[in-house]
Amino acid sequence: MAEQQQKKQQEREPGEKPKPKLVFDDPFDRQTSDDTDQGWGGSEGGGGGGRGLDWYLSQRPPHHGG
């Protein structure tokens, strides 16, 4: 196992900091992909008003009848 760690250290460029093993920052401070329209499958241009009836019908859960 020590050999693997040495190989990883050799692969890094000189002066490059190793990635921290533990991150203690607050995960709620970072934005995730599902916080954006793109993460929810929205268009790049924003605004959700351009969705047609076909889109709404395709999002209907099966237990709501069909």
Side-chain angles (χ1 to χ4, degrees), residues 23-35:
V23 179
F24 292 103
D25 63 343
D26 187 3
F28 294 113
D29 288 340
R30 291 176 280 171
Q31 185 177 30
T32 60
S33 63
D34 61 340
D35 289 338

Side-chain angles (χ1 to χ4, degrees), residues 11-26:
E11 291 174 2
R12 266 190 266 130
E13 294 182 21
E16 183 182 350
K17 292 182 179 180
K19 291 185 178 180
K21 294 181 181 181
L22 295 175
V23 179
F24 292 103
D25 63 343
D26 187 3

